[in-house]
Amino acid sequence: MPDRLWLSLATMGGEERRFVQEAFDTNWVVPLGPNVTGFEEDLKRFLGQDKPVTALCSGTAALHLALIQCGVTRDDEVICQSFTFAASANPIAYLGAVPVFVDSERETWNMSPLLLEEAIQDRIAKIGRAPKAIVGVDLYGMPAQWDQIGAVADRYGIPVIEDAAEALGSELNGRKCGTFGRFGVLSFNGNKIITTSGGGALVCPNDDAARKTVFLATQARDPAPHYEHSEIGYNYRLSNVCAGIGRGQMLALDGFVRRRREIHALYAERLADVRGISVKEAPAPNHALNYWLTTVLVGEESAGHGPRTDDGAARKRERLRLALDAENIESRPLWKPMHLQPVFSDAPFYGNRTSETLFEQGLCLPSGAGMTASDIDRVCDIIRKVVP
Ligand SMILES: *Cc1c(COP(=O)(O)O)cnc(C)c1O
């Protein structure tokens, strides 16, 4: 049996050890230090827009601190894209607030601006106040329709949090993902486009917000020689050792994105004539994906057609997943929408089955930057055998 092909294996760029070694040599084995500051500067420079970046222990922590700074408290409502990973929604619940889930649109698979506005209007009509914040996502590295989402949010004066955990290196109209909302969330978990073994960052609108983020992430200590606290704090800072890995990864990031794009192009080319599979593509050239994962819909004639809601879709997709698994290849269904998750079964939802259909039909293919062309052939040969 050939080696297992994993969905998204982390790759080292080469310089990570040097930065980590430096942390040991200079005795900065703590949750602050030159690697943390250096990593934050690297991220800020990479993203452009002059937005300060705060390194944290996870993307989930970044979302939590963004929601707090948007003023979200108990019983507030927060709009969240339904088609996403649970980490986009969980921090809403940490605060005792209520997630209101909104479905996706077909072009980007991300939050539908039309359904967003419908949801806001209906919440105002039903509970007499607007949602406190909007969490939109750049799923699988696909930039959401930020111009339209931003326009709707502005009409009602609601701050937007961009969950760009999967989209470091993606761009919309030449602008990097992570910079579109009031706050932007990044993740450096082991399976993301870069890794710090575990980590995240909050992209902040200004220096005051960045200072506040660090304050909240370090137990909310007031200025005093003793430990004085007038707010609840958290222990969310990234360690200087992990940030060292991050600095090394930043040197390799452009190469990782280039390689993931090549992998996507190879899949698209080799599967172009398979009628039962469509490889997800950017809806227009201004959407420049990092192609963190290459995703396909099973049982579709070709890209761009509407969803065919047939009951067999999930079965076809599962047949392919099992066939790949039998050949030691990891693949995974697309994210199961939050409004279908038992834990969120009471949450309001505004939708039209788009994310449900995508969940039934969709599969993520192995996409790690370390994959070779023959690895891709191995995956495509099985797809050709299973899907007519
Ligand atoms: C990975 C991920 C997160 C959470 O990031 P962690 O660093 O794992 O906490 C949040 N949102 C999305 C969409 C993700 O894929």
Side-chain angles (χ1 to χ4, degrees), residues 57-61 63 84-85 87-88 137 139 163 165-166 185-189 191-192 198-200 292 335:
C57 61
S58 71
T60 311
L63 267 154
T84 186
F85 178 42
S88 306
V137 189
L139 218 58
D163 180 349
E166 302 179 0
V185 170
L186 303 174
S187 168
F188 319 117
N189 205 346
N191 58 355
K192 298 287 158 73
W292 169 57
W335 297 120

Side-chain angles (χ1 to χ4, degrees), residues 26-345:
T26 54
N27 210 20
W28 282 103
V29 184
V30 281
L32 83 171
N35 279 337
V36 173
T37 318
F39 186 39
E40 289 172 341
E41 284 304 315
D42 291 346
L43 287 164
K44 179 178 175 180
R45 203 172 324 115
F46 180 82
L47 294 174
Q49 311 299 324
D50 208 31
K51 290 188 166 194
V53 178
T54 303
L56 300 169
C57 61
S58 71
T60 311
L63 267 154
H64 191 183
L65 298 187
L67 289 164
I68 290 172
Q69 290 178 83
C70 289
V72 174
T73 54
R74 185 161 294 283
D75 298 330
D76 281 337
E77 291 194 338
V78 174
I79 290 197
C80 183
Q81 181 166 320
S82 182
F83 193 42
T84 186
F85 178 42
S88 306
N90 283 337
I92 300 169
Y94 300 169
L95 291 165
V98 179
V100 173
F101 292 113
V102 168
D103 212 340
S104 292
E105 42 119 52
R106 281 296 285 191
E107 284 73 33
T108 64
W109 295 3
N110 290 311
M111 187 183 282
S112 155
L114 292 175
L115 289 170
L116 169 64
E117 182 146 36
E118 189 183 311
I120 294 170
Q121 289 178 348
D122 195 60
R123 296 326 292 169
I124 293 172
K126 284 213 169 81
I127 72 162
R129 59 202 160 94
K132 243 347 193 332
I134 296 165
V135 179
V137 189
D138 301 304
L139 218 58
Y140 304 114
M142 170 73 81
Q145 308 280 22
W146 291 116
D147 293 349
Q148 297 164 46
I149 291 170
V152 172
D154 286 349
R155 262 203 289 289
Y156 300 89
I158 306 172
V160 173
I161 298 168
E162 179 188 7
D163 180 349
E166 302 179 0
L168 185 60
S170 296
E171 293 178 8
L172 177 65
N173 300 320
R175 179 166 162 177
K176 290 277 194 303
C177 283
T179 65
F180 289 99
R182 178 179 299 177
F183 289 97
V185 170
L186 303 174
S187 168
F188 319 117
N189 205 346
N191 58 355
K192 298 287 158 73
I193 196 105
I194 66 167
T195 180
T196 57
S197 74
L202 190 61
V203 184
C204 295
N206 52 47
D207 289 332
D208 279 348
R211 267 191 293 274
K212 179 81 184 190
T213 304
V214 172
F215 169 78
L216 290 169
T218 51
Q219 309 287 19
R221 275 185 70 190
D222 296 335
H226 58 277
Y227 280 75
E228 178 84 9
H229 305 275
S230 45
E231 273 184 71
I232 295 293
Y234 302 85
N235 183 4
Y236 276 173
R237 204 72 163 117
L238 186 68
S239 97
N240 195 53
V241 174
C242 295
I245 304 175
R247 285 180 87 182
Q249 291 269 291
M250 285 306 287
L251 295 172
L253 174 55
D254 285 332
F256 290 162
V257 172
R258 208 175 316 122
R259 185 61 194 149
R260 297 225 184 205
R261 286 176 177 160
E262 285 166 6
I263 288 166
H264 172 268
L266 286 170
Y267 274 125
E269 180 194 304
R270 284 170 174 50
L271 296 172
D273 60 338
V274 183
R275 285 173 53 87
I277 282 268
S278 78
V279 177
K280 181 61 179 169
E281 304 277 354
N286 63 332
H287 288 254
L289 282 77
N290 64 4
Y291 285 113
W292 169 57
L293 294 182
T294 292
T295 55
V296 296
L297 297 181
V298 184
E300 284 245 309
E301 290 289 303
S302 66
H305 287 220
R308 268 195 305 173
T309 34
D310 72 81
D311 301 339
R315 240 178 309 128
K316 274 191 219 160
R317 184 260 286 148
E318 192 56 10
R319 182 147 39 95
L320 175 57
R321 192 188 68 78
L322 291 171
L324 290 166
D325 190 58
E327 296 294 328
N328 220 9
I329 295 167
E330 184 186 31
S331 67
R332 195 172 296 156
L334 302 185
W335 297 120
K336 181 174 180 177
M338 290 306 112
H339 72 275
L340 300 180
Q341 299 287 358
V343 72
F344 292 124
S345 58

